[in-house]
Amino acid sequence: MAEAIHKKLQSELEKYQQLQKDVSKSMSLRQKLEAQLTENNIVKEELALLDCQNTVYKLIGPVLVKQDLDEAKATVSKRLEYINGEIQRYETLLKEMERKSEQHREVLSSLQQEYQRAQGQAVGKV
Amino acid sequence: MSRDSQREDCLHVVKDCRSQIEHWNKVEKDYESLQERLRTLPDKLSYDIMVPFGPLAFMPGKLVHTNELTVLLGDNWFAKCSAKQADTLVEHRKKHVKNALDDLQKVMKNFQNRADFTDDLKKLTGDTEGFLDIREEVINEEDFTKGKHRLAHKPNSKPKQEYLLELEEDKEKKEEDEERKTGLLSEEELWARLDELEREEELQDERFRLDSTDTNGEDTTSSSEEEKEAESGSGVQVNGHQKENGWVPSSITSQMNGTNGSHPEDEEVEDCDEEAGNGLPTIYFSHTAEFKKVRINTGKNTTLKFSERNEQKAQAKRKKKSGKRNGHSHEGYKITSPADIYRVFVDLVNGEPIPRKSILKSRSRENSVCSDTSESSTADFEERRAAFGRSWSHDDATHSDTSDGFTGEESPTGTSPRTNGRFEAFTGTVIEKDPLSCSIPHLTIAPPALPTIPERKLEEVGPEALQEPPKRMSKFKATRLHQT
């Protein structure tokens, strides 16, 4: 009896740990997105400072590709929107994962109690 | 402790903020030097420079197109612009950096404040400087009330018992735990202590006015000894602090702990020496047991109880006989509070304590009785009256239940006591009584400043006292009756 509980406890624990890892990964991704967001905001502002006489290039791999200023502005805006969307997605994902990890935590604690009780009984029996 | 961990967290955040601020400051500096370079670059069409070749080699070369710059805008975007436009871009970026710096500063300040706050909190509770630990070791189980609690008007409700209970609990704790560290007293204890201290202060102020410095203090304290022997009181020991001698609280007698060797330890006083574990200078505090309540007679409603009067007076007499005589009441009884005055200065008539009549005539004090302030003859009566009347400025009907400041000074037989009194609270009449013995300073010789609050134990004194005042007061009474 105690053995079974012990095994269950272990499996639950592993699941919980996995969940925690996922949470932290999502968290870091989200942070990266945040940084990109700020960066693209700055690019947008600086593009606004330029006039059409300046040529704009985009680095694609090892190549600097000439871009139109307006095109560049549009591209940057689109990218910004994309980044915002990503951030929202990650937000919801994180919340979901948080909830799941909470559930797992409860299960774990109850299992632990059971296990201890079983242990106690086993000791008592002996 | 959570406080410590909190503090550590705050400090950690502060450290992070500091490092980040450093980083951003560097960035700003870089941008500024860049701006300098941008300003000087277009000055010449081309520059002769040493061009780095790899990590270890340089080659002479030329810098051309000095006004054409390719600027990284971020996120793999580049733009070709002139030096001046680049300058503008750099300015724009510097603005962002400044914003980040400001935010970091704010955060750092916040967390620093938090850390400081927890620091202060810790210091407050743990610091030993400037703080005194006041401990009260309560010895007597019964003597923790100054008097009866007031009965509620409603028949079924009880008088307040909370304070009592608190004391009992704490008393037990204290009696058990002598090794108690400098923990803070409970709130109620503190409030109670505060109240007591306030009262003591008031009394002290009064005493100061009337006292004559050292001798008085000694006397009071020494007579307090006697008192304590008579009663199951206990004294306040000031641990390492020099208290003023003249300051004797009403219900608490103070002793110098070790500094004033004239006071032998009372058996009632717990031996509360300094505990080595205490980092704090400690005042050991204990209550004297109160006499039965002595109330001042301001009229027809007050009563007086002289429960231990006889004993005290006997002691005082003995002491007086034994010899050294001050002008003080230390001869056998200790006046530690104004209330003591009324207890002390009573006549012994047929072995019964009778409160002395006040010597002042006062309409407001009909039937009032107070201790006589002198044993001198009636020839001095007028003088006395005048003296009392002079100083009788502030003492009025409030005497009814209060004890005024009492000097503790007792007039020597020869001298006129009245002149000393600056605050004679005396409004009754004084019945001249024969001094018990002229050679022996009379017990009932009251200090000139003796308040005239009359004392009377109606049950015992009763008729005798009653008869005399009426005689005296008849004139006034008559006039009053005439008026009304």
Side-chain angles (χ1 to χ4, degrees), chain A residues 39 45-46 54-55 57 59, chain B residues 75 78 80 85 92-93:
Chain A
E39 202 185 356
E45 286 163 18
E46 288 184 353
N54 314 89
T55 39
Y57 297 93
L59 184 68
Chain B
D75 195 24
F78 290 84
K80 250 201 167 118
Q85 284 168 332
H92 176 255
R93 284 192 202 171

Side-chain angles (χ1 to χ4, degrees), chain A residues 11 31 54 63 78 108 123:
Chain A
S11 62
Q31 277 174 350
N54 314 89
V63 179
K78 270 204 215 108
L108 265 177
V123 169

Side-chain angles (χ1 to χ4, degrees), chain B residues 430-456:
Chain B
V430 168
I431 308 282
E432 290 297 322
K433 296 191 191 286
D434 295 332
L436 293 182
S437 136
C438 289
S439 57
I440 300 168
H442 203 277
L443 259 180
T444 59
I445 292 173
L450 183 66
T452 62
I453 299 162
E455 294 181 322
R456 183 155 52 166

Side-chain angles (χ1 to χ4, degrees), chain B residues 32-102:
Chain B
E32 274 169 24
S33 56
L34 178 66
Q35 275 185 314
E36 267 307 306
R37 174 61 67 235
L38 286 174
R39 280 176 204 135
T40 62
L41 202 57
D43 288 347
K44 278 177 32 171
L45 279 171
S46 63
Y47 289 93
D48 290 321
I49 53 170
M50 291 299 275
V51 183
F53 254 46
L56 303 164
F58 291 89
M59 223 190 100
K62 266 193 162 140
L63 196 64
V64 294
H65 296 294
T66 50
N67 206 24
E68 290 168 37
L69 297 160
T70 309
V71 176
L72 171 68
L73 304 174
D75 195 24
N76 289 341
W77 287 100
F78 290 84
K80 250 201 167 118
C81 36
S82 72
K84 282 223 175 103
Q85 284 168 332
D87 196 33
T88 320
L89 284 172
V90 169
E91 275 296 331
H92 176 255
R93 284 192 202 171
K94 268 203 323 191
K95 234 195 313 180
H96 274 277
V97 169
K98 270 204 184 76
N99 283 338
L101 262 177
D102 287 341

Side-chain angles (χ1 to χ4, degrees), chain B residues 251-458:
Chain B
S251 63
I252 302 120
T253 55
S254 65
Q255 276 184 337
M256 300 304 193
N257 184 17
T259 56
N260 190 353
S262 64
H263 309 293
E265 289 291 319
D266 271 356
E267 61 274 18
E268 292 90 5
V269 176
E270 276 187 29
D271 189 29
C272 8
D273 282 329
E274 286 190 46
E275 294 179 7
N278 262 353
L280 233 45
T282 312
I283 298 172
Y284 289 92
F285 184 88
S286 47
H287 278 282
T288 45
E290 287 268 334
F291 287 117
K292 291 275 179 83
K293 198 61 179 173
V294 169
R295 300 189 56 185
I296 297 137
N297 186 5
T298 53
K300 302 165 189 168
N301 296 326
T302 58
T303 58
L304 211 65
K305 298 178 187 174
F306 298 93
S307 47
E308 292 80 17
R309 188 54 41 208
N310 281 342
E311 196 183 341
Q312 249 193 7
K313 280 176 20 175
Q315 281 179 357
K317 273 191 177 167
R318 276 202 304 273
K319 248 216 155 168
K320 274 187 208 161
K321 279 178 187 160
S322 71
K324 123 174 131 138
R325 217 195 105 108
N326 280 347
H328 291 289
S329 56
H330 75 299
E331 297 124 340
Y333 47 85
K334 174 170 172 63
I335 309 268
T336 62
S337 71
D340 298 340
I341 301 163
Y342 312 110
R343 292 193 289 263
V344 164
F345 292 103
V346 294
D347 290 335
L348 264 184
V349 174
N350 300 329
E352 291 291 325
I354 300 175
R356 309 270 291 208
K357 299 291 167 63
S358 71
I359 61 171
L360 289 185
K361 298 177 192 172
S362 159
R363 291 185 180 186
S364 64
R365 298 227 168 247
E366 283 209 52
N367 300 326
S368 67
V369 170
C370 79
S371 310
D372 194 358
T373 60
S374 98
E375 58 172 317
S376 49
S377 62
T378 50
D380 294 328
F381 172 72
E382 292 299 319
E383 232 181 279
R384 226 181 298 130
R385 248 183 48 200
F388 278 124
R390 262 203 312 274
S391 55
W392 176 241
S393 53
H394 61 282
D395 298 322
D396 273 323
T398 53
H399 282 310
S400 49
D401 276 333
T402 61
S403 24
D404 279 342
F406 172 60
T407 58
E409 274 179 23
E410 201 175 10
S411 56
T413 33
T415 62
S416 160
R418 288 86 54 189
T419 52
N420 274 343
R422 299 188 291 282
F423 302 90
E424 284 108 356
F426 186 85
T427 52
T429 51
V430 168
I431 308 282
E432 290 297 322
K433 296 191 191 286
D434 295 332
L436 293 182
S437 136
C438 289
S439 57
I440 300 168
H442 203 277
L443 259 180
T444 59
I445 292 173
L450 183 66
T452 62
I453 299 162
E455 294 181 322
R456 183 155 52 166
K457 196 173 185 183
L458 281 176

